[in-house]
Amino acid sequence: MILLINTDLLVIGGGPAGMTAALKAAKRKAEVIIVERYHELGGQLTKQTHRFFGSKSEQAGTRGIDIARGLTKEIQNMSEIKVLTEATAQGYYEDKIVTVSYQNKFRKIRAKRIIIATGASEKMMLFENNDLPGVYGAGAIQTLMNLYGILPGKKVIMVGAGNIGLIVSYQLLQAGVEVKAVIEADSEIGGYLVHASKIRRTGVPIYTGHSVKSAIGESSVKGAEIIKLDENWQMITGTERFIKADTICLAVGLRPLVSLLIQADCAMVYVPELGGDVPIRDENLKTTNDQIFVAGDAAGIEEATAAMLEGEIAGLKAASEIGYLSEDVVEETRRLKRELKKLRGGPIGRKIRRGLSKVRGDDNVKKNRYSHLR
Ligand SMILES: Cc1cc2nc3c(=O)[nH]c(=O)nc-3n(C[C@H](O)[C@H](O)[C@H](O)COP(=O)(O)OP(=O)(O)OC[C@H]3O[C@@H](n4cnc5c(N)ncnc54)[C@H](O)[C@@H]3O)c2cc1C
């Protein structure tokens, strides 16, 4: 027989969005369970040894790992929060039940409200031989180096000049790895110029308007053939060039992890600016399933600062809907929304603002296009 656990709020995913959501709700006295498939809380932050960019009020300047440690400590001190690590939410079923695999057994959790904060997965890139050993995602390289102290290789080609590609390149350089080049398909560098300048100062070339045509090697990567792209991102034959390397690192974007949202029949919409399919939600992060909220990268690829603010808004709103009302809810929610707006203001937030305009409002509400699969 499968054990059934009842709780006020179930938070799926223990990254920055899930942790702040749980804290905000628990501080209003809601009973919370966090399920996290990894062995510790923190999500992406557990790999982020660099000092954070983003909003000052949301811990810019602090290292990601230290933000994770601080939030984890706060959670450990809250008797209202129960944390299940190495626990994976597998499915959302009728009667509002989530099944979770934990300690080699299935548990059922029934919650009054659920916050899905499952983060994102890395995008893959198509090129010849992309399955050769030595081709990694940037997340895997960060995990190897920053969690386990293992170098992925000696000579790396980085693909992608967004913030992740630039930061991981710098971390590789700091670890003594030779970064042969950063390759970027776009005509411009996507990441902050401060990160790009740091890389350039070390002598690493950044080739914009280029891509990888093929990985070269028999049993493992020995190099890559890179090629120039035209303005439509088509390869220009005759511009191929070989770069010798033992590792190709792909930092070509993230995709929101939304399978549980799709399964729970939340209406979805495809928004390239937010990384792919995302759930339609209102300004409190409530999806079209009345029981379910979303927060963080699962709602659209952004940054940890935005994920933490979204988590707080969702946690606060979920607790009030369950019945844990407090006098300051309205003012506190307004403050958090103001912070988010500020964070997304200016030229850097333009893409996010454009993306968000597509996920709100009745005009955009489409039926879940995966419904037929259920
Ligand atoms: C190299 C790099 C550098 C970055 N630098 C910065 C920076 O300087 N500043 C900044 O603001 N942001 C930065 N970011 C972005 C930031 O890390 C993410 O936006 C943020 O971690 C998103 O938080 P999240 O809680 O939504 O998701 P995550 O941190 O991805 O956490 C999601 C959690 O959910 C868990 N999970 C997923 N599915 C399940 C399931 N079914 N059951 C149970 N658990 C599940 C995962 O194991 C994970 O722990 C960086 C990202 C990268 C990769």
Side-chain angles (χ1 to χ4, degrees), residues 12-17 35-37 43-44 48 50 52-53 87-89 117-119 142 164 168 296-297 302-305 307:
I12 304 175
V35 293
E36 166 52 53
R37 67 178 173 187
Q44 296 276 348
Q48 291 168 13
H50 62 285
F52 255 44
F53 48 85
T88 304
T118 41
Q142 274 208 314
I164 296 180
V168 175
D297 279 357
E302 229 175 313
E303 290 171 2
T305 42

PDB file of all heavy atoms in Angstrom, residues 12-17 35-37 43-44 48 50 52-53 87-89 117-119 142 164 168 296-297 302-305 307, ligand 1:
ATOM      1  N   ILE A  12       7.430  21.635  -5.204  1.00  0.00           N
ATOM      2  CA  ILE A  12       8.212  20.660  -5.982  1.00  0.00           C
ATOM      3  C   ILE A  12       9.426  21.374  -6.563  1.00  0.00           C
ATOM      4  O   ILE A  12       9.291  22.262  -7.407  1.00  0.00           O
ATOM      5  CB  ILE A  12       7.357  20.028  -7.105  1.00  0.00           C
ATOM      6  CG1 ILE A  12       6.105  19.381  -6.503  1.00  0.00           C
ATOM      7  CG2 ILE A  12       8.191  19.002  -7.879  1.00  0.00           C
ATOM      8  CD1 ILE A  12       5.137  18.822  -7.532  1.00  0.00           C
ATOM      9  N   GLY A  13      10.609  20.993  -6.078  1.00  0.00           N
ATOM     10  CA  GLY A  13      11.853  21.635  -6.506  1.00  0.00           C
ATOM     11  C   GLY A  13      12.403  22.522  -5.400  1.00  0.00           C
ATOM     12  O   GLY A  13      11.729  23.438  -4.946  1.00  0.00           O
ATOM     13  N   GLY A  14      13.617  22.218  -4.967  1.00  0.00           N
ATOM     14  CA  GLY A  14      14.221  22.963  -3.853  1.00  0.00           C
ATOM     15  C   GLY A  14      15.318  23.893  -4.297  1.00  0.00           C
ATOM     16  O   GLY A  14      16.345  24.028  -3.644  1.00  0.00           O
ATOM     17  N   GLY A  15      15.129  24.558  -5.455  1.00  0.00           N
ATOM     18  CA  GLY A  15      16.051  25.608  -5.887  1.00  0.00           C
ATOM     19  C   GLY A  15      15.659  26.922  -5.224  1.00  0.00           C
ATOM     20  O   GLY A  15      14.821  26.940  -4.317  1.00  0.00           O
ATOM     21  N   PRO A  16      16.254  28.039  -5.678  1.00  0.00           N
ATOM     22  CA  PRO A  16      15.928  29.325  -5.050  1.00  0.00           C
ATOM     23  C   PRO A  16      14.429  29.652  -5.067  1.00  0.00           C
ATOM     24  O   PRO A  16      13.905  30.173  -4.076  1.00  0.00           O
ATOM     25  CB  PRO A  16      16.731  30.340  -5.873  1.00  0.00           C
ATOM     26  CG  PRO A  16      17.235  29.616  -7.066  1.00  0.00           C
ATOM     27  CD  PRO A  16      17.282  28.177  -6.727  1.00  0.00           C
ATOM     28  N   ALA A  17      13.730  29.331  -6.166  1.00  0.00           N
ATOM     29  CA  ALA A  17      12.292  29.646  -6.239  1.00  0.00           C
ATOM     30  C   ALA A  17      11.514  28.817  -5.213  1.00  0.00           C
ATOM     31  O   ALA A  17      10.694  29.343  -4.450  1.00  0.00           O
ATOM     32  CB  ALA A  17      11.760  29.379  -7.645  1.00  0.00           C
ATOM     33  N   VAL A  35       9.792  18.768  -1.935  1.00  0.00           N
ATOM     34  CA  VAL A  35      10.447  17.566  -2.472  1.00  0.00           C
ATOM     35  C   VAL A  35      11.520  18.008  -3.463  1.00  0.00           C
ATOM     36  O   VAL A  35      11.284  18.829  -4.332  1.00  0.00           O
ATOM     37  CB  VAL A  35       9.465  16.559  -3.134  1.00  0.00           C
ATOM     38  CG1 VAL A  35       8.541  15.936  -2.118  1.00  0.00           C
ATOM     39  CG2 VAL A  35       8.672  17.162  -4.263  1.00  0.00           C
ATOM     40  N   GLU A  36      12.695  17.467  -3.282  1.00  0.00           N
ATOM     41  CA  GLU A  36      13.861  17.845  -4.108  1.00  0.00           C
ATOM     42  C   GLU A  36      14.542  16.555  -4.563  1.00  0.00           C
ATOM     43  O   GLU A  36      14.890  15.717  -3.745  1.00  0.00           O
ATOM     44  CB  GLU A  36      14.818  18.726  -3.289  1.00  0.00           C
ATOM     45  CG  GLU A  36      16.202  18.914  -3.887  1.00  0.00           C
ATOM     46  CD  GLU A  36      16.206  19.394  -5.335  1.00  0.00           C
ATOM     47  OE1 GLU A  36      15.569  20.404  -5.631  1.00  0.00           O
ATOM     48  OE2 GLU A  36      16.856  18.723  -6.171  1.00  0.00           O
ATOM     49  N   ARG A  37      14.732  16.436  -5.867  1.00  0.00           N
ATOM     50  CA  ARG A  37      15.272  15.160  -6.368  1.00  0.00           C
ATOM     51  C   ARG A  37      16.767  14.995  -6.106  1.00  0.00           C
ATOM     52  O   ARG A  37      17.292  13.896  -6.138  1.00  0.00           O
ATOM     53  CB  ARG A  37      14.958  14.995  -7.854  1.00  0.00           C
ATOM     54  CG  ARG A  37      15.665  15.968  -8.735  1.00  0.00           C
ATOM     55  CD  ARG A  37      15.354  15.725 -10.195  1.00  0.00           C
ATOM     56  NE  ARG A  37      15.940  16.803 -10.965  1.00  0.00           N
ATOM     57  CZ  ARG A  37      15.771  16.989 -12.240  1.00  0.00           C
ATOM     58  NH1 ARG A  37      15.018  16.170 -12.919  1.00  0.00           N
ATOM     59  NH2 ARG A  37      16.348  17.975 -12.869  1.00  0.00           N
ATOM     60  N   GLY A  43      19.294  23.838  -5.752  1.00  0.00           N
ATOM     61  CA  GLY A  43      19.141  23.892  -7.217  1.00  0.00           C
ATOM     62  C   GLY A  43      20.442  24.292  -7.882  1.00  0.00           C
ATOM     63  O   GLY A  43      21.531  23.886  -7.468  1.00  0.00           O
ATOM     64  N   GLN A  44      20.330  25.123  -8.887  1.00  0.00           N
ATOM     65  CA  GLN A  44      21.514  25.572  -9.651  1.00  0.00           C
ATOM     66  C   GLN A  44      22.525  26.291  -8.771  1.00  0.00           C
ATOM     67  O   GLN A  44      23.711  26.320  -9.065  1.00  0.00           O
ATOM     68  CB  GLN A  44      21.068  26.575 -10.721  1.00  0.00           C
ATOM     69  CG  GLN A  44      20.161  26.024 -11.780  1.00  0.00           C
ATOM     70  CD  GLN A  44      20.949  25.347 -12.874  1.00  0.00           C
ATOM     71  OE1 GLN A  44      22.180  25.474 -12.944  1.00  0.00           O
ATOM     72  NE2 GLN A  44      20.268  24.605 -13.705  1.00  0.00           N
ATOM     73  N   GLN A  48      27.158  27.382  -8.200  1.00  0.00           N
ATOM     74  CA  GLN A  48      27.554  28.723  -8.609  1.00  0.00           C
ATOM     75  C   GLN A  48      28.495  29.384  -7.606  1.00  0.00           C
ATOM     76  O   GLN A  48      28.071  29.964  -6.613  1.00  0.00           O
ATOM     77  CB  GLN A  48      26.313  29.556  -8.895  1.00  0.00           C
ATOM     78  CG  GLN A  48      25.636  29.015 -10.154  1.00  0.00           C
ATOM     79  CD  GLN A  48      24.258  29.564 -10.385  1.00  0.00           C
ATOM     80  OE1 GLN A  48      23.865  30.530  -9.756  1.00  0.00           O
ATOM     81  NE2 GLN A  48      23.538  28.938 -11.290  1.00  0.00           N
ATOM     82  N   HIS A  50      30.564  31.754  -8.380  1.00  0.00           N
ATOM     83  CA  HIS A  50      30.849  33.172  -8.692  1.00  0.00           C
ATOM     84  C   HIS A  50      29.938  34.096  -7.885  1.00  0.00           C
ATOM     85  O   HIS A  50      28.894  33.688  -7.398  1.00  0.00           O
ATOM     86  CB  HIS A  50      30.659  33.441 -10.183  1.00  0.00           C
ATOM     87  CG  HIS A  50      29.248  33.210 -10.661  1.00  0.00           C
ATOM     88  ND1 HIS A  50      28.733  31.961 -10.846  1.00  0.00           N
ATOM     89  CD2 HIS A  50      28.256  34.069 -10.962  1.00  0.00           C
ATOM     90  CE1 HIS A  50      27.483  32.058 -11.263  1.00  0.00           C
ATOM     91  NE2 HIS A  50      27.155  33.323 -11.329  1.00  0.00           N
ATOM     92  N   PHE A  52      27.189  36.837  -7.528  1.00  0.00           N
ATOM     93  CA  PHE A  52      26.005  37.013  -8.352  1.00  0.00           C
ATOM     94  C   PHE A  52      25.890  38.365  -8.994  1.00  0.00           C
ATOM     95  O   PHE A  52      26.210  39.383  -8.390  1.00  0.00           O
ATOM     96  CB  PHE A  52      24.761  36.760  -7.498  1.00  0.00           C
ATOM     97  CG  PHE A  52      24.155  35.430  -7.807  1.00  0.00           C
ATOM     98  CD1 PHE A  52      24.955  34.323  -7.960  1.00  0.00           C
ATOM     99  CD2 PHE A  52      22.787  35.307  -7.969  1.00  0.00           C
ATOM    100  CE1 PHE A  52      24.418  33.103  -8.277  1.00  0.00           C
ATOM    101  CE2 PHE A  52      22.244  34.084  -8.286  1.00  0.00           C
ATOM    102  CZ  PHE A  52      23.053  32.980  -8.439  1.00  0.00           C
ATOM    103  N   PHE A  53      25.400  38.335 -10.261  1.00  0.00           N
ATOM    104  CA  PHE A  53      24.942  39.579 -10.863  1.00  0.00           C
ATOM    105  C   PHE A  53      23.449  39.661 -10.533  1.00  0.00           C
ATOM    106  O   PHE A  53      22.907  38.789  -9.890  1.00  0.00           O
ATOM    107  CB  PHE A  53      25.176  39.584 -12.381  1.00  0.00           C
ATOM    108  CG  PHE A  53      24.709  38.349 -13.102  1.00  0.00           C
ATOM    109  CD1 PHE A  53      23.393  38.221 -13.508  1.00  0.00           C
ATOM    110  CD2 PHE A  53      25.592  37.310 -13.372  1.00  0.00           C
ATOM    111  CE1 PHE A  53      22.972  37.072 -14.184  1.00  0.00           C
ATOM    112  CE2 PHE A  53      25.172  36.168 -14.042  1.00  0.00           C
ATOM    113  CZ  PHE A  53      23.861  36.049 -14.442  1.00  0.00           C
ATOM    114  N   ALA A  87      14.110  12.922  -3.541  1.00  0.00           N
ATOM    115  CA  ALA A  87      12.683  12.628  -3.696  1.00  0.00           C
ATOM    116  C   ALA A  87      12.218  13.290  -4.987  1.00  0.00           C
ATOM    117  O   ALA A  87      12.352  14.501  -5.133  1.00  0.00           O
ATOM    118  CB  ALA A  87      11.907  13.199  -2.514  1.00  0.00           C
ATOM    119  N   THR A  88      11.742  12.490  -5.919  1.00  0.00           N
ATOM    120  CA  THR A  88      11.350  13.041  -7.224  1.00  0.00           C
ATOM    121  C   THR A  88       9.847  12.972  -7.408  1.00  0.00           C
ATOM    122  O   THR A  88       9.254  11.890  -7.274  1.00  0.00           O
ATOM    123  CB  THR A  88      12.039  12.246  -8.359  1.00  0.00           C
ATOM    124  OG1 THR A  88      13.446  12.283  -8.121  1.00  0.00           O
ATOM    125  CG2 THR A  88      11.743  12.832  -9.722  1.00  0.00           C
ATOM    126  N   ALA A  89       9.244  14.121  -7.697  1.00  0.00           N
ATOM    127  CA  ALA A  89       7.808  14.135  -8.017  1.00  0.00           C
ATOM    128  C   ALA A  89       7.658  13.500  -9.394  1.00  0.00           C
ATOM    129  O   ALA A  89       8.273  13.950 -10.359  1.00  0.00           O
ATOM    130  CB  ALA A  89       7.293  15.564  -8.021  1.00  0.00           C
ATOM    131  N   ALA A 117       8.287  24.325  -8.968  1.00  0.00           N
ATOM    132  CA  ALA A 117       9.500  25.147  -9.130  1.00  0.00           C
ATOM    133  C   ALA A 117      10.632  24.211  -9.547  1.00  0.00           C
ATOM    134  O   ALA A 117      11.660  24.102  -8.883  1.00  0.00           O
ATOM    135  CB  ALA A 117       9.822  25.868  -7.823  1.00  0.00           C
ATOM    136  N   THR A 118      10.394  23.514 -10.671  1.00  0.00           N
ATOM    137  CA  THR A 118      11.306  22.443 -11.088  1.00  0.00           C
ATOM    138  C   THR A 118      12.498  22.934 -11.918  1.00  0.00           C
ATOM    139  O   THR A 118      13.331  22.128 -12.333  1.00  0.00           O
ATOM    140  CB  THR A 118      10.520  21.387 -11.899  1.00  0.00           C
ATOM    141  OG1 THR A 118       9.611  22.066 -12.775  1.00  0.00           O
ATOM    142  CG2 THR A 118       9.708  20.484 -10.994  1.00  0.00           C
ATOM    143  N   GLY A 119      12.564  24.245 -12.186  1.00  0.00           N
ATOM    144  CA  GLY A 119      13.748  24.761 -12.882  1.00  0.00           C
ATOM    145  C   GLY A 119      13.748  24.438 -14.370  1.00  0.00           C
ATOM    146  O   GLY A 119      12.698  24.452 -15.018  1.00  0.00           O
ATOM    147  N   GLN A 142      29.891  22.463 -14.837  1.00  0.00           N
ATOM    148  CA  GLN A 142      29.854  23.139 -13.527  1.00  0.00           C
ATOM    149  C   GLN A 142      29.742  22.119 -12.401  1.00  0.00           C
ATOM    150  O   GLN A 142      30.348  22.271 -11.346  1.00  0.00           O
ATOM    151  CB  GLN A 142      28.644  24.055 -13.466  1.00  0.00           C
ATOM    152  CG  GLN A 142      28.883  25.417 -14.049  1.00  0.00           C
ATOM    153  CD  GLN A 142      27.975  26.439 -13.392  1.00  0.00           C
ATOM    154  OE1 GLN A 142      26.792  26.201 -13.238  1.00  0.00           O
ATOM    155  NE2 GLN A 142      28.530  27.544 -12.998  1.00  0.00           N
ATOM    156  N   ILE A 164      25.858  32.307 -19.146  1.00  0.00           N
ATOM    157  CA  ILE A 164      26.320  30.989 -18.678  1.00  0.00           C
ATOM    158  C   ILE A 164      27.619  30.594 -19.378  1.00  0.00           C
ATOM    159  O   ILE A 164      28.601  30.213 -18.735  1.00  0.00           O
ATOM    160  CB  ILE A 164      25.218  29.925 -18.854  1.00  0.00           C
ATOM    161  CG1 ILE A 164      24.024  30.277 -17.961  1.00  0.00           C
ATOM    162  CG2 ILE A 164      25.749  28.527 -18.535  1.00  0.00           C
ATOM    163  CD1 ILE A 164      22.868  29.323 -18.017  1.00  0.00           C
ATOM    164  N   VAL A 168      31.023  30.191 -17.231  1.00  0.00           N
ATOM    165  CA  VAL A 168      31.663  28.863 -17.156  1.00  0.00           C
ATOM    166  C   VAL A 168      33.048  28.921 -17.819  1.00  0.00           C
ATOM    167  O   VAL A 168      33.993  28.299 -17.343  1.00  0.00           O
ATOM    168  CB  VAL A 168      30.748  27.756 -17.737  1.00  0.00           C
ATOM    169  CG1 VAL A 168      31.460  26.412 -17.776  1.00  0.00           C
ATOM    170  CG2 VAL A 168      29.459  27.647 -16.918  1.00  0.00           C
ATOM    171  N   GLY A 296       9.950  30.626 -10.813  1.00  0.00           N
ATOM    172  CA  GLY A 296      11.344  30.399 -11.216  1.00  0.00           C
ATOM    173  C   GLY A 296      11.474  30.005 -12.677  1.00  0.00           C
ATOM    174  O   GLY A 296      10.612  30.313 -13.507  1.00  0.00           O
ATOM    175  N   ASP A 297      12.565  29.301 -12.976  1.00  0.00           N
ATOM    176  CA  ASP A 297      12.865  28.947 -14.366  1.00  0.00           C
ATOM    177  C   ASP A 297      11.783  28.076 -15.003  1.00  0.00           C
ATOM    178  O   ASP A 297      11.655  28.050 -16.228  1.00  0.00           O
ATOM    179  CB  ASP A 297      14.233  28.238 -14.453  1.00  0.00           C
ATOM    180  CG  ASP A 297      15.399  29.227 -14.447  1.00  0.00           C
ATOM    181  OD1 ASP A 297      15.148  30.454 -14.438  1.00  0.00           O
ATOM    182  OD2 ASP A 297      16.558  28.775 -14.455  1.00  0.00           O
ATOM    183  N   GLU A 302      15.036  32.817 -16.543  1.00  0.00           N
ATOM    184  CA  GLU A 302      15.430  34.156 -16.130  1.00  0.00           C
ATOM    185  C   GLU A 302      16.656  34.012 -15.237  1.00  0.00           C
ATOM    186  O   GLU A 302      17.583  33.280 -15.581  1.00  0.00           O
ATOM    187  CB  GLU A 302      14.259  34.821 -15.402  1.00  0.00           C
ATOM    188  CG  GLU A 302      13.969  36.220 -15.906  1.00  0.00           C
ATOM    189  CD  GLU A 302      12.749  36.833 -15.268  1.00  0.00           C
ATOM    190  OE1 GLU A 302      11.691  36.185 -15.182  1.00  0.00           O
ATOM    191  OE2 GLU A 302      12.864  37.976 -14.854  1.00  0.00           O
ATOM    192  N   GLU A 303      16.603  34.629 -14.056  1.00  0.00           N
ATOM    193  CA  GLU A 303      17.755  34.560 -13.157  1.00  0.00           C
ATOM    194  C   GLU A 303      17.286  34.189 -11.767  1.00  0.00           C
ATOM    195  O   GLU A 303      16.104  34.277 -11.452  1.00  0.00           O
ATOM    196  CB  GLU A 303      18.428  35.925 -13.099  1.00  0.00           C
ATOM    197  CG  GLU A 303      19.137  36.290 -14.369  1.00  0.00           C
ATOM    198  CD  GLU A 303      19.609  37.729 -14.348  1.00  0.00           C
ATOM    199  OE1 GLU A 303      19.406  38.411 -13.335  1.00  0.00           O
ATOM    200  OE2 GLU A 303      20.177  38.141 -15.361  1.00  0.00           O
ATOM    201  N   ALA A 304      18.245  33.845 -10.919  1.00  0.00           N
ATOM    202  CA  ALA A 304      17.889  33.417  -9.561  1.00  0.00           C
ATOM    203  C   ALA A 304      17.179  34.521  -8.781  1.00  0.00           C
ATOM    204  O   ALA A 304      16.300  34.258  -7.974  1.00  0.00           O
ATOM    205  CB  ALA A 304      19.141  32.968  -8.824  1.00  0.00           C
ATOM    206  N   THR A 305      17.580  35.771  -9.044  1.00  0.00           N
ATOM    207  CA  THR A 305      16.945  36.880  -8.329  1.00  0.00           C
ATOM    208  C   THR A 305      15.450  36.915  -8.639  1.00  0.00           C
ATOM    209  O   THR A 305      14.626  37.042  -7.726  1.00  0.00           O
ATOM    210  CB  THR A 305      17.612  38.210  -8.735  1.00  0.00           C
ATOM    211  OG1 THR A 305      17.831  38.194 -10.128  1.00  0.00           O
ATOM    212  CG2 THR A 305      18.924  38.407  -8.046  1.00  0.00           C
ATOM    213  N   ALA A 307      13.729  34.384  -9.781  1.00  0.00           N
ATOM    214  CA  ALA A 307      13.158  33.125  -9.267  1.00  0.00           C
ATOM    215  C   ALA A 307      12.790  33.265  -7.786  1.00  0.00           C
ATOM    216  O   ALA A 307      11.725  32.821  -7.345  1.00  0.00           O
ATOM    217  CB  ALA A 307      14.162  31.980  -9.457  1.00  0.00           C
TER     218      ALA A 307
HETATM  219  C1  LIG B   1      26.294  28.995 -15.004  1.00  0.00           C
HETATM  220  C2  LIG B   1      25.112  29.756 -14.457  1.00  0.00           C
HETATM  221  C3  LIG B   1      25.332  30.983 -13.862  1.00  0.00           C
HETATM  222  C4  LIG B   1      24.248  31.733 -13.343  1.00  0.00           C
HETATM  223  N1  LIG B   1      24.509  32.909 -12.725  1.00  0.00           N
HETATM  224  C5  LIG B   1      23.490  33.631 -12.189  1.00  0.00           C
HETATM  225  C6  LIG B   1      23.736  34.868 -11.523  1.00  0.00           C
HETATM  226  O1  LIG B   1      24.879  35.303 -11.395  1.00  0.00           O
HETATM  227  N2  LIG B   1      22.677  35.565 -11.034  1.00  0.00           N
HETATM  228  C7  LIG B   1      21.399  35.088 -11.141  1.00  0.00           C
HETATM  229  O2  LIG B   1      20.479  35.747 -10.640  1.00  0.00           O
HETATM  230  N3  LIG B   1      21.152  33.913 -11.760  1.00  0.00           N
HETATM  231  C8  LIG B   1      22.152  33.172 -12.296  1.00  0.00           C
HETATM  232  N4  LIG B   1      21.897  31.984 -12.939  1.00  0.00           N
HETATM  233  C9  LIG B   1      20.504  31.525 -13.107  1.00  0.00           C
HETATM  234  C10 LIG B   1      19.964  30.840 -11.863  1.00  0.00           C
HETATM  235  O3  LIG B   1      20.834  29.843 -11.407  1.00  0.00           O
HETATM  236  C11 LIG B   1      18.604  30.214 -12.178  1.00  0.00           C
HETATM  237  O4  LIG B   1      17.786  31.166 -12.820  1.00  0.00           O
HETATM  238  C12 LIG B   1      17.933  29.793 -10.879  1.00  0.00           C
HETATM  239  O5  LIG B   1      18.687  28.783 -10.239  1.00  0.00           O
HETATM  240  C13 LIG B   1      16.518  29.270 -11.131  1.00  0.00           C
HETATM  241  O6  LIG B   1      15.967  28.866  -9.915  1.00  0.00           O
HETATM  242  P1  LIG B   1      14.825  27.761  -9.845  1.00  0.00           P
HETATM  243  O7  LIG B   1      14.565  27.531  -8.399  1.00  0.00           O
HETATM  244  O8  LIG B   1      13.714  28.174 -10.703  1.00  0.00           O
HETATM  245  O9  LIG B   1      15.445  26.471 -10.532  1.00  0.00           O
HETATM  246  P2  LIG B   1      16.691  25.549 -10.132  1.00  0.00           P
HETATM  247  O10 LIG B   1      17.760  26.299  -9.452  1.00  0.00           O
HETATM  248  O11 LIG B   1      17.051  24.838 -11.395  1.00  0.00           O
HETATM  249  O12 LIG B   1      16.053  24.521  -9.099  1.00  0.00           O
HETATM  250  C14 LIG B   1      15.077  23.589  -9.486  1.00  0.00           C
HETATM  251  C15 LIG B   1      15.171  22.404  -8.560  1.00  0.00           C
HETATM  252  O13 LIG B   1      14.083  21.518  -8.833  1.00  0.00           O
HETATM  253  C16 LIG B   1      14.553  20.173  -8.706  1.00  0.00           C
HETATM  254  N5  LIG B   1      13.612  19.309  -9.463  1.00  0.00           N
HETATM  255  C17 LIG B   1      13.347  19.328 -10.799  1.00  0.00           C
HETATM  256  N6  LIG B   1      12.396  18.429 -11.108  1.00  0.00           N
HETATM  257  C18 LIG B   1      12.033  17.833  -9.947  1.00  0.00           C
HETATM  258  C19 LIG B   1      11.079  16.816  -9.618  1.00  0.00           C
HETATM  259  N7  LIG B   1      10.289  16.252 -10.549  1.00  0.00           N
HETATM  260  N8  LIG B   1      10.966  16.427  -8.325  1.00  0.00           N
HETATM  261  C20 LIG B   1      11.759  16.994  -7.349  1.00  0.00           C
HETATM  262  N9  LIG B   1      12.666  17.960  -7.614  1.00  0.00           N
HETATM  263  C21 LIG B   1      12.799  18.381  -8.890  1.00  0.00           C
HETATM  264  C22 LIG B   1      15.957  20.233  -9.295  1.00  0.00           C
HETATM  265  O14 LIG B   1      16.745  19.147  -8.830  1.00  0.00           O
HETATM  266  C23 LIG B   1      16.441  21.582  -8.760  1.00  0.00           C
HETATM  267  O15 LIG B   1      17.113  21.458  -7.518  1.00  0.00           O
HETATM  268  C24 LIG B   1      22.929  31.210 -13.458  1.00  0.00           C
HETATM  269  C25 LIG B   1      22.705  29.951 -14.045  1.00  0.00           C
HETATM  270  C26 LIG B   1      23.789  29.216 -14.536  1.00  0.00           C
HETATM  271  C27 LIG B   1      23.530  27.860 -15.137  1.00  0.00           C
END
